[in-house]
Amino acid sequence: MKKLFKPFKIIPKIQGQMLVWLVLIPIFGQLGIIATIIKNPKIASVENVTSGNFYTFSIALLASSILTLAIQLMNDYDSDSDSSFKTFKIGSIIVAFLFIVIMVIGFSTLDSFSISGTIVQLFLYFCSIIMSVYFLCVEYIQKDDDDNYKDLADAAINSLFHKTKKTPDSDGRGIDV
């Protein structure tokens, strides 16, 4: 369980990227919600909840995190770098995808006007922000001090990856190629 939260330890080392992410993604991404608050502050919260703005933002935020991790994973596949945390990234992508499915099911089945629908929507909204920060940390752990994250690295996958990149010396039956 301790390994699961280890990527958050990189936040002090990526303060610049975290600040840019915070300004560009959550703050600018919230402009639709902020616009409804400016337009009519008295009913803005009800309007945002009933229209599903929090769900929509949560899904878009996690989708962009999935895309970023998937692109980095594809780039890692082409490189010869060790300790690129492929298993950790694939697991993160799967968890994000499942969380998006949960949000879609929640939005389509729960009544947005009810207290429980509002609570679930806001809970998933905050969870998606935390998960997106987590995925940003996962994205940067390979670029930082790998020694601190060796227990998260996938040594078995790296060794298999290097074996597949090698050209064979023989065909396995003693005949040199």
Side-chain angles (χ1 to χ4, degrees), residues 31-175:
L31 289 179
I33 295 171
I34 293 168
T36 59
I37 292 171
I38 292 170
K39 181 180 172 187
N40 195 348
K42 291 180 184 176
I43 63 165
S45 60
V46 173
E47 199 173 296
N48 281 321
V49 170
T50 57
S51 64
N53 286 346
F54 294 108
Y55 276 125
T56 305
F57 176 74
S58 301
I59 290 169
L61 185 63
L62 286 177
S64 67
S65 297
I66 290 172
L67 176 66
T68 305
L69 280 175
I71 288 172
Q72 188 181 35
L73 195 60
M74 288 187 302
N75 289 340
D76 287 348
Y77 182 75
D78 293 336
S79 71
D80 288 331
S81 65
D82 277 344
S83 194
S84 57
F85 309 100
K86 291 174 182 70
T87 305
F88 215 67
K89 290 176 187 174
I90 290 170
S92 298
I93 289 170
I94 291 169
V95 167
F97 181 75
L98 291 174
F99 200 72
I100 288 173
V101 169
I102 289 169
M103 281 191 281
V104 170
I105 291 170
F107 183 66
S108 62
T109 58
L110 291 174
D111 183 17
S112 296
F113 294 108
S114 69
I115 298 291
S116 62
T118 303
I119 291 171
V120 168
Q121 187 173 170
L122 292 174
F123 174 74
L124 293 174
Y125 171 77
F126 288 115
C127 284
S128 71
I129 290 174
I130 292 168
M131 288 175 71
S132 189
V133 169
Y134 181 80
F135 298 146
L136 180 72
C137 294
V138 168
E139 179 183 345
Y140 281 98
I141 54 175
Q142 75 163 357
K143 297 176 183 174
D144 202 68
D145 186 10
D146 284 344
D147 290 338
N148 290 330
Y149 302 99
K150 279 188 177 176
D151 59 333
L152 301 179
D154 30 28
I157 288 180
N158 286 330
S159 67
L160 284 173
F161 180 71
H162 287 298
K163 286 179 185 177
T164 60
K165 287 264 182 172
K166 280 193 213 175
T167 56
D169 295 337
S170 72
D171 67 354
R173 289 180 253 147
I175 301 172

Side-chain angles (χ1 to χ4, degrees), residues 16-33:
Q17 292 91 335
M18 189 63 73
L19 180 65
V20 170
W21 179 86
L22 183 68
V23 169
L24 295 178
I25 305 297
I27 293 176
F28 285 168
Q30 306 284 337
L31 289 179
I33 295 171

